[in-house]
Every structure is written in structure tokens, then in C-alpha cells.
Amino acid sequence: MVTGQGRIESIVRVWLPVGFFLVLALFPFYWMAITSIKPNAELYNRNVMPLIVHAPTLKHYVDLLTKTSFLLWTWNTMLVAIVATAISLVLGAMLAYPLARMRFAGAGLIAMTVAAIYLVPQPLLFIPLADVINRLDLGNTLTSVILTYPTMLVPFCAWLLLGYFKTVPKELEEAARIDGASRLQTMRRIFLPLCTPGFISAGIFAFTLSQNEFLYALIFLTKTTVRTVPVGVIAELIRGDVFYWGQLMAGALLGSIPVALIYSFFVEHYVAGLTTGSVKG
Amino acid sequence: MTAASERLPALAQAAHRPASLGALLDRESVFSWLMMALPLAFLAALVGYPFLYGILLSLQDRPVARVGTFVGLKNFLTDLRDPIFWQVAINTFVYTGVATALKMVGGLGLALAMNQHFRMKNLVRALLLLPFIVPTVLSTVAWMWMLDPAFSVVNRLLVALGWPRPGPSWLGNPALAMVSIIVINTWRGLPFYGITLLAGLQTVPPELYEAATIDGAGGWQRFRFVTLPLLRPIILIVTLFSVIFTFADFQLVYVLTHGGPQNATNLFATYAFDIAMGAGQLGLGASIALAMLPALALLIVALTIYMRRN
């Protein structure tokens, strides 16, 4: 099959379209990366060829890390994402387990409600929520976003975990019940340890969504010290009409790395979660 | 014999002993509601209550940091007389409609291209998903720089290909600004469509294609009469999801254009933000956000019912 014609055909049928989509998907990241290591003299000179770097420099990274609070924003983002994800996994599992395993009046209604809440986009709620956060005196605290991110993540985790829980066979739980274990013991000691892959999937998605969140962080966090990366980058690296493109691109690249790393480790879980058709697009 | 008959009533008694707290907690309904109480209370407090409070706000004249006064439907009437509101409505529908169509067609193309045998397929799939997983704000900043008025790399490429200098003003021209936000939204969402549809394609049994080929179907006919009908449920779900979150999009537009130039890219979410957070009119802002509700509710109900059925 390695005839010359077969190879040409495979290039045309496979690599022409796939290559097109790859270039389209990756060019902005390439542009981000090379902009971040170009000296300003090169960035703002229209007479040099822009697609390659002529005199690479790390100046923008040094400036970003020493002259802005980028490291602090990264810490805030991580802290918020991890705590919000943990809360959402716990609360999500508490919703999903009864819905997956128990028979009780109202189960259908609760499942519908959770699914509907999962689909409510933030812009529908941000104005009243801003007022609620103000009245609770939580403005400019990380607590404000740690509390509000789970409003989108809990229904999401519950829905994803519900799907996973239903695929786990019931026999072990039934055996534990016959041996006299209570429902709570059965759930915690027998059932949940079987569901690690489901929790990893839901956890990665929740973490990614937390890192991506912008609207609540923009409204609730207006002080440098409590900002997350997306808000910090937008609010403090764009000063009026002045754009620090080198630093902006360095920040965008560094800010993308945690998500990209986690994603690269768990890409199969991620794709599996995506293709159950239950992820926000 | 006697021993056994003596033991039986004792057993029956034990089974009926309702006094034990453990037994009560072990009832399916009691266990379920206790388990769900905390998450449900959380959602009621931070989703249910804000939602109802938002409706109340939309019926008030409520400047920020002051007490609101009930004004009935006045805010909604103000919206209806506001030409910007109507422009925002049209923008939102155009943005959602065009971006969704592009993502659907492009995503199907991506899925078909990926549904072939070639080396490094998993790596390619992982790379193609990057636009979807990287935080939107950060990739949008990169696009903003690619479309910069003075140093746009897109324009430099166009000029190199013979376009008259200085090239199009992507973010300064109203129509082109709309094109720009649609292109970037499509860029970000297309991998989600592509990879999801790819998973759907991989479930199509090869025998169906073979049977169709034997019956004399060409490539287009196989696609039209075998692939598409089998993909329809997945296409429907992905599209509904994507429509909901494109319709209520905020961050891409806020970062790239702030709704400008001259409101050409202002959407419901960004306009509600301007009025509520910029101008400090919480009541009027809430009414603009709630204007999304009829369309959203329709989509959410449709998708919820559909998801439950499957």
C-alpha cells in the first residue's frame, strides 16, 4: 500500500484538511508565543518579517513577573479553582448518588431542575448576585468567587457524575447492604471508591471552567491583590489606550499553561467527558 | 419445631421496629432527601434566590447603593423604546445564528477529516481541542493583537498577498467587528463540535456503509443517507448547548470590542453589564438581562427534556 499514488492520496485526503484545521487552531498560540519573546523594537517595526523572532528576549516575562502581580493572580486563580472544584465535586456527588440509585417521590423533578440550572448562563444572574455579594460584604474577597463558581459547577458535576454512577454495577452495594452496612456506609466505603474515573473527569472540567470564569471575577474582584489571572491581565496590563503587547502575550501564555498541562495529562478523560454530550460549548 | 416457632415472631418484631434512628435514616426517601439537602439548599440560595431577586430588581428603579422603588414594567417599556436595545437584540441573533452555523459546518468538516486512519491521530486531536480549553479571555487577547489596528499580522499577510495598504480595520469598522467576534467564537467552539461529532461518527457501524455501497450509493449519498441521520441526535444536542452559551456570551465581546464600535457588537449580556455596572442602573440592567429569558427558557426546556429522554 506504500505506493507513490497512495501516499499522495493520503496527503490530499488526510493532511490537507487536518493540516488546515491544525494551523487554524494553533496559529493564535504560535503568535502569542513568539510575540512574548520579541523585543519591543521588533514588535513595533513594520519592516521586519513578523512570523519569526530575530532577537529573542525574556524581558516581557521578567517584567510581567516583577512589575505586575501576575504570580499573586496565578496563586489566587489556582486557590479558587481548586477549592471551588472540591466543593462542587462533594455537593455534586451528594446530589447525584440518590438520583442514580434511590427511588423516591420527586426524583424526576429534582433531576430536571439540576439539568435546567446547569444550562442557566451567568449573564442571567450576575446583576442580582452582585447585589447579594455586596450585602454579604464579600466584595473583593476570594470567598465571593469560591461561593459563586459552584453555582455553575455543582449542577454540572452532578450531571456528569450521575451519568457515570449509572454505569457502575449495583452488585457490590447490594452485597454490602446484605452484610448489614447502612446506606451511608455503602455509599462512602463501597460505591464512591469505584467512581474515581468519574470524579477525575468531572474534576478536570470543573477546574477548567473555574480557570475560564471571567464575569463574576470581573465584578466581584476589583483590587489587584484578590484578582484572578483573566481579570488581572485585562484590567491591569491594558492601561487606557496603552497595550503592553509583549507582557500581555507572556501573561496569556503563562495563564494558559496550568489548564493545558492538566488537560494533557487527562486528555482521554476529557474527551470521554466531552463525548457523553454533557459539556457546555 | 417449637424453638423455630418461638423465634419467628421475634424476628418479625425486629423487622418492624421503627424506633431505631438508623432504620429511619436507611429508608430510601429519608436518606435521599437528607443527602441532597445541602446541595439543594446551596442552589436555592445562590441560584434560585438571585433569579427571583433579579425579577424583582427588573421591576424597580434601583440606582446602585440606594434603595429601590417599585416602578412596575417601566424598565421593560424603556427597553422597548431604546433603539440600542433593538440593535443589541439583532446583534445577538446574528452573532448566535451565524457563529452556530459556521461551527456546525466546520465541526462536521473537522470530524469527517479526523475520521480517517493516520498516524499521531491522538496527538492531533489533543492539539485541535486547545482553543476550547484555554481560558477564553487569554486567547481573545491574542486575537486582539492579531487584529491590532497598526500591527495586525492578519493584515500584514493580506498586504503581502496584494491587498491594498493598510488592510481592513477589523475592530474599527462596525460590520467587520461583528465578523471578527463571529470568527473568534467559531474558532473557539469549533473543536467542541468537531470532537463530539467525531465520537458520533465512530459509532456508525461500517456494515451500513458497505451495504449502502453495494446498493450503489456514492460518497455524497452515503453521507446524506447514512451518516447524517445517525448523527442527528448528537448534532441536535451540541447545537442546543452551543446556542445557549453563544446567545448569552459575554467575555469574548467584552474583551475584544466592549460592544463597539457604536454598539455594533453589543450583545444582551454586554449591554446589561454596561447599564448595571457602568451606569449603575441595576433595575434597568436586570430588565435587559431578563430580556434573554424567553429565548433561553425555550432552549433550556427543550434541551432538558431531550437530555432526560436519553
Side-chain angles (χ1 to χ4, degrees):
Chain A
M1 281 305 286
V2 202
T3 60
Q5 211 183 353
R7 176 165 293 175
I8 290 170
E9 203 202 316
S10 107
I11 287 174
V12 173
R13 286 177 59 102
V14 175
W15 289 107
L16 211 63
V18 170
F20 166 77
F21 284 114
L22 268 179
V23 170
L24 190 72
L26 298 183
F27 183 77
F29 299 113
Y30 173 72
W31 194 238
M32 219 187 244
I34 66 165
T35 301
S36 72
I37 53 170
K38 280 182 185 176
N40 277 341
E42 210 174 296
L43 272 184
Y44 304 118
N45 181 346
R46 262 176 276 193
N47 297 318
V48 293
M49 152 71 181
L51 292 177
I52 51 168
V53 189
H54 300 274
T57 166
L58 289 177
K59 184 176 183 304
H60 300 306
Y61 287 91
V62 174
D63 287 351
L64 179 74
L65 298 181
T66 56
K67 292 185 184 163
T68 75
S69 309
F70 188 81
L71 283 176
L72 184 61
W73 302 336
T74 307
W75 165 253
N76 291 341
T77 312
M78 287 296 159
L79 185 73
V80 168
I82 290 170
V83 178
T85 300
I87 293 177
S88 308
L89 286 178
V90 172
L91 293 184
M94 288 167 80
L95 270 179
Y97 184 72
L99 292 176
R101 285 295 198 255
M102 304 292 144
R103 288 153 171 244
F104 56 96
L109 187 70
I110 297 288
M112 290 276 267
T113 311
V114 171
I117 293 180
Y118 161 40
L119 295 170
V120 171
Q122 295 159 292
L124 208 53
L125 296 177
F126 76 95
I127 296 169
L129 260 184
D131 202 46
V132 170
I133 292 293
N134 264 337
R135 276 187 290 158
L136 292 174
D137 214 10
L138 289 175
N140 280 318
T141 64
L142 291 182
T143 314
S144 67
V145 283
I146 289 175
L147 265 182
T148 47
Y149 287 5
T151 59
M152 38 174 202
L153 301 179
V154 168
F156 168 76
C157 289
W159 196 251
L160 217 106
L161 289 172
L162 178 60
Y164 190 85
F165 287 177
K166 283 183 175 164
T167 66
V168 177
K170 289 180 183 160
E171 283 75 21
L172 276 175
E173 288 157 86
E174 282 162 5
R177 292 285 293 157
I178 291 168
D179 287 345
S182 74
R183 289 195 190 279
L184 188 63
Q185 287 167 330
T186 312
M187 175 186 166
R188 280 180 44 203
R189 306 236 176 97
I190 310 293
F191 180 76
L192 291 182
L194 294 173
C195 300
T196 315
F199 280 101
I200 294 179
S201 252
I204 302 165
F205 278 108
F207 184 82
T208 324
L209 285 173
S210 304
Q211 296 255 333
N212 187 34
E213 206 289 329
F214 179 66
L215 180 53
Y216 291 164
L218 178 71
I219 296 171
F220 303 153
L221 310 175
T222 52
K223 278 192 194 147
T224 300
T225 49
V226 288
R227 277 184 164 142
T228 58
V229 170
V231 180
V233 164
I234 294 303
E236 299 190 29
L237 296 185
I238 300 176
R239 300 163 191 125
D241 278 343
V242 185
F243 290 76
Y244 294 78
W245 285 114
Q247 278 184 49
L248 268 169
M249 291 301 108
L253 198 72
L254 288 184
S256 307
I257 284 177
V259 181
L261 266 183
I262 295 226
Y263 162 74
S264 68
F265 284 127
F266 295 107
V267 67
E268 291 308 320
H269 280 95
Y270 194 92
V271 173
L274 257 190
T275 50
T276 52
S278 42
V279 172
K280 300 185 179 191
Chain B
M1 168 79 195
T2 43
S5 61
E6 257 167 48
R7 217 175 285 154
L8 267 177
L11 263 179
Q13 224 177 351
H16 279 112
R17 198 187 301 152
S20 139
L21 184 64
L24 182 70
L25 290 180
D26 246 23
R27 281 201 203 155
E28 277 186 86
S29 59
V30 176
F31 172 81
S32 299
W33 287 107
L34 281 178
M35 186 54 84
M36 296 188 308
L38 183 62
L40 287 180
F42 174 82
L43 290 178
L46 286 174
V47 179
Y49 169 69
F51 180 71
L52 297 176
Y53 182 52
I55 295 177
L56 181 70
L57 268 181
S58 75
L59 303 174
Q60 290 182 341
D61 177 25
R62 171 69 206 280
V64 73
R66 256 189 279 154
V67 185
T69 43
F70 185 81
V71 292
L73 294 175
K74 185 165 158 276
N75 289 328
F76 291 96
L77 294 174
T78 308
D79 292 338
L80 293 181
R81 278 194 297 264
D82 174 9
I84 299 177
F85 177 84
W86 288 105
Q87 195 186 349
V88 161
I90 294 169
N91 290 345
T92 309
F93 279 97
V94 168
Y95 176 64
T96 310
V98 179
T100 305
L102 285 176
K103 282 183 272 192
M104 199 188 302
V105 174
L108 201 54
L110 174 63
L112 289 172
M114 286 292 290
N115 195 29
Q116 308 182 73
H117 295 288
F118 57 94
R119 276 190 291 169
M120 298 185 293
K121 193 168 163 180
N122 282 346
L123 177 67
V124 169
R125 190 179 61 177
L127 289 174
L128 283 175
L129 264 174
L130 271 181
F132 184 65
I133 64 139
V134 164
T136 312
V137 166
L138 303 181
S139 55
T140 304
V141 174
W143 275 96
M144 201 173 168
W145 169 228
M146 283 164 59
L147 301 176
D148 185 76
F151 300 98
S152 161
V153 63
V154 175
N155 282 4
R156 291 182 68 177
L157 292 176
L158 286 177
V159 167
L161 293 172
W163 194 289
R165 274 173 198 276
S169 166
W170 293 104
L171 305 178
N173 172 302
L176 287 179
M178 178 56 90
V179 170
S180 301
I181 61 170
I182 288 174
V183 165
I184 300 171
N185 178 278
T186 305
W187 172 81
R188 187 179 186 276
L190 194 133
F192 168 67
Y193 272 78
I195 302 302
T196 315
L197 294 181
L198 174 63
L201 278 182
Q202 286 166 344
T203 63
V204 178
E207 301 86 55
L208 284 183
Y209 290 119
E210 285 160 22
T213 312
I214 291 166
D215 289 346
W220 165 250
Q221 285 172 316
R222 282 198 299 266
F223 175 73
R224 171 70 187 79
F225 296 107
V226 179
T227 314
L228 266 190
L230 287 169
L231 278 185
R232 190 168 298 144
I234 288 198
I235 294 181
L236 189 72
I237 273 212
V238 173
T239 306
L240 279 174
F241 262 107
S242 159
V243 166
I244 290 173
F245 292 98
T246 310
F247 191 79
D249 199 4
F250 173 80
Q251 36 179 310
L252 195 165
V253 173
Y254 178 83
V255 171
L256 198 73
T257 63
H258 269 276
Q262 300 110 46
N263 293 305
T265 56
N266 225 347
L267 307 180
F268 279 123
T270 46
Y271 191 45
F273 179 90
D274 279 350
I275 299 294
M277 302 297 145
Q281 296 290 335
L282 293 188
L284 194 58
S287 77
I288 295 165
L290 276 177
M292 288 190 281
L293 191 61
L296 279 179
L298 215 66
L299 291 164
I300 291 174
V301 168
L303 188 49
T304 311
I305 291 172
Y306 193 81
M307 276 161 68
R308 280 293 292 166
R309 265 214 330 241
N310 291 276

